[in-house]
Amino acid sequence: MTHHTMNCRRTQFKHAKGFSLFEVLIALVIASVGLLGVAKLQALTYASTGTASLRSLMTIEGASLSALMRANRGFWASPINNSTNSIIIDGTTITANGALSSAAMSDGYCDQGANAPCIPSDMAASDLQTWADAVIAMFPNLQPQTTISCPANVPVVCTVTMQWTEKVVSIDKTHGSVATVNMQAPQYVFTVEP
């Protein structure tokens, strides 16, 4: 090999195009940080989807209760049956301050062949117990509580407040973007005019 050939090869290596090992490592670090951010965002999105699904199901259960109340206008639309006292459903325990028959507060009390035909107050008690049992069966760990307030006005307009506990995943910016799980007690409030 001549001296001229060796100088040409050195010049080729000096001007060679490509990436150094250091540049490749920096690119890998940047890509890794980006992928970790995407993974955290996906986990937060998955948790939020679960919360939205839960709230949608609670809304459907509220619509179910509303339909039961409208179906029994003999009890719910009567100002005599509704006082300033509230009916509280805590899990499967119903506190009605004497407005409902405690004997009728069993699942399926007014079903055909049992104690049918029922008077409106027994039907309301049976409906509420059946509804409460269904909510607990669907959401056993949420500690649902429902309050029904029907002032003795004409027309009767009942306010229903549903409350439950749920886990919420959030990103805490004060601790360097650490994902934490907190408990919340959301409420769903609606009115029913039976």
Side-chain angles (χ1 to χ4, degrees):
M1 234 189 254
T2 63
H3 181 63
H4 178 57
T5 312
M6 288 180 66
N7 278 341
C8 284
R9 285 192 172 196
R10 280 188 202 147
T11 307
Q12 284 177 342
F13 287 126
K14 278 184 177 179
H15 299 293
K17 303 244 185 212
F19 300 104
S20 70
L21 183 59
F22 182 71
E23 290 171 330
V24 171
L25 288 175
I26 294 297
L28 282 174
V29 167
I30 291 171
S32 298
V33 168
L35 289 175
L36 285 174
V38 168
K40 184 183 273 188
L41 184 61
Q42 186 173 2
L44 187 60
T45 302
Y46 178 73
S48 296
T49 301
T51 301
S53 174
L54 172 71
R55 290 181 181 190
S56 295
L57 289 173
M58 289 302 276
T59 303
I60 291 170
E61 288 299 324
S64 171
L65 178 60
S66 175
L68 290 172
M69 292 171 70
R70 285 191 181 105
N72 188 1
R73 291 185 50 82
F75 178 79
W76 294 104
S78 173
I80 296 170
N81 293 329
N82 298 303
S83 62
T84 55
N85 297 328
S86 298
I87 296 173
I88 299 171
I89 306 170
D90 192 359
T92 58
T93 305
I94 300 174
T95 307
N97 298 327
L100 301 172
S101 165
S102 60
M105 287 186 203
S106 61
D107 196 8
Y109 180 83
C110 289
D111 289 349
Q112 244 182 354
N115 296 299
C118 281
I119 60 173
S121 62
D122 287 350
M123 180 67 78
S126 179
D127 286 347
L128 289 176
Q129 190 64 55
T130 302
W131 180 83
D133 291 344
V135 170
I136 285 296
M138 186 176 284
F139 309 108
N141 301 322
L142 299 184
Q143 304 165 345
Q145 184 177 31
T146 303
T147 304
I148 304 171
S149 299
C150 301
N153 298 333
V154 177
V156 174
V157 177
C158 300
T159 302
V160 180
T161 304
M162 298 173 63
Q163 185 173 355
W164 62 94
T165 58
E166 66 185 26
K167 292 181 182 177
V168 179
V169 176
S170 61
I171 295 180
D172 188 2
K173 293 181 181 179
T174 60
H175 294 98
S177 295
V178 176
T180 58
V181 177
N182 300 316
M183 297 302 283
Q184 273 187 346
Q187 286 187 342
Y188 175 51
V189 179
F190 59 96
T191 58
V192 179
E193 184 177 346

